[in-house]
Amino acid sequence: MSLSLALNTARASLSATSTQIETTARNIGNAGQPGASRKIAVTTTEASGGAYVVAVSRASDSALYTRMLGATSNAADRQAVLDGLNRLRTGMGDPTGDSAPAARIGALGDALAQFANAPDDPAFGVRAVTVAQDLATALNAAASTVRTVRTDADAGMARSVVRVNDLLKQFAAENDAVVKGTGAGRDVSDALDRRDTLLAGIAEEMGVTAVSRANNDLVLYTDGGATLFETMPRSVTFKTTPVLAAGMAGQAVMVDGVSVTGADAAMPLRSGRIAGLAELRDRSAVTLETQLDSMALGLVQAFAETDQSGTGAPDAPGLFTDGTANLPAQATGLAARLAVNAAVDPARGGSPSLLRDGGINGAAYVANAGGQASFAAQLQATGTALADVRDFDPASGIPARSTLTDFAAASTGWLEGQRQVAAGAADSEYALLSHASQALSNATGINMDDEYARQLDLERSYQASSKLIAVINGLYDALFQAVR
């Protein structure tokens, strides 16, 4: 080997080692930073001999990263649903306690039976009215919770859409840097890290699929197939509904003009926080709302007064009313409006004895025409109606033909079942996300011990190359001395 070739080899080795040391220092500096991957300085030998060319790449595992993105979307989806169901459960009361609707309906039946056994004791009438008020208040509160959960889910969808649009703008800038840098042969590993971090953020809000093209360019699609990013971000839009009335559907999230949420979604999202919030707003909460309204309608119907005069007057609200003089034609929104009739409420000048005698709606509805203090037929008939099997809304998601008490118990059981399923799914997805993230970190993350050890080896290599250059320099000096 000639001295010039040996010198060139030593200089190339020195340069390569210097770059490798710089890369390890860069890794050490990035350790602990979210989304940072291990950078690798790869050396290759030129065909002309001796010289080293260094290229900086990053550790990556596309399969693990894709799995982590999917787990991120699924976990965010299930957590959004679970959070909402937990709030609905709180609004419904303890399923095993006295505050649950089934327990309150049972308590009302007991209060009526006690009043029927002693119809001449006004204290039992007052107690029956009080229990009825507690039941109406509980249904009001549960309906209010449902409305609040739906409204909050709608607002949450709006916040998620804003975040997605912001992340897409940042993603566009990083993707452009990656594509241009790759085409120019520059080191784009940091830009790739930043782009991956942004993509993970998008995946929290909606399920996303990434397709790679030339020069590390990425095209993004939602997991339902809508184009989210191709060269430039696609518009993600959503209009909030400030007041979501009972039975009212919320607006759909649109991606590039295509609906991705709602019953009529052309390309529905399958995962991500937006999908979970949409499910909560438009399905789970609406189903519970239907169940509550069905209970309220059953109560109004069970206590309705019938015409006693034979004139054919229509049935009218009895103990329970929606605030009007007529029986409600439909159940929608009834749980929020349900109230105890003022005519039987002593606090508002009413008389609980009307439960015994009838006549809440006037003389035509009086059952105890003789005014007997021991009259119990009306109370017994009402108790029987309360316990009767009746038809409920088939959209309630639970058996539509049962007693009021059984229907209320089934509603509580349905909600608890939905919550347990969502909790189990959330736990499973978070466990999968944890494993995928750990595996990805092990494969691509930065280990400080490894980097320090690598740096020590490189420093020794650097010293060896420096010594070789010093030896060659000495040989050149000797050669020049001999020539002189």
Side-chain angles (χ1 to χ4, degrees), residues 244-267:
L244 279 167
M248 180 181 180
Q251 297 289 326
V253 173
M254 312 290 286
V255 175
D256 199 23
V258 177
S259 60
V260 296
T261 63
D264 300 326
M267 295 181 174

Side-chain angles (χ1 to χ4, degrees), residues 3 472-484:
L3 288 178
I472 294 172
N473 185 59
L475 291 174
Y476 267 118
D477 287 343
L479 178 61
F480 292 149
Q481 189 71 27
V483 170
R484 293 193 189 98

Side-chain angles (χ1 to χ4, degrees), residues 417-473:
Q418 293 289 309
R419 194 192 68 81
Q420 289 179 0
V421 169
D427 288 344
S428 176
E429 292 299 337
Y430 274 116
L432 183 58
L433 175 59
S434 177
H435 289 314
S437 299
Q438 186 60 48
L440 184 63
S441 177
N442 291 339
T444 67
I446 300 169
N447 184 295
M448 294 286 284
D449 293 338
D450 292 344
E451 295 302 323
Y452 281 128
R454 177 65 174 159
Q455 198 168 57
L456 289 175
D457 291 339
L458 290 170
E459 287 175 357
R460 296 189 187 98
S461 177
Y462 189 91
Q463 291 171 357
S465 297
S466 298
K467 289 180 180 179
L468 179 58
I469 291 175
V471 169
I472 294 172
N473 185 59

Side-chain angles (χ1 to χ4, degrees), residues 54 63 66 76 78 90-91 96 145 160 162 184 302 321-322 354 426 461 473:
V54 178
T66 300
R78 292 300 90 194
T90 300
T96 62
T145 299
S160 290
V162 170
T321 177
D322 66 347
L354 293 179
S461 177
N473 185 59

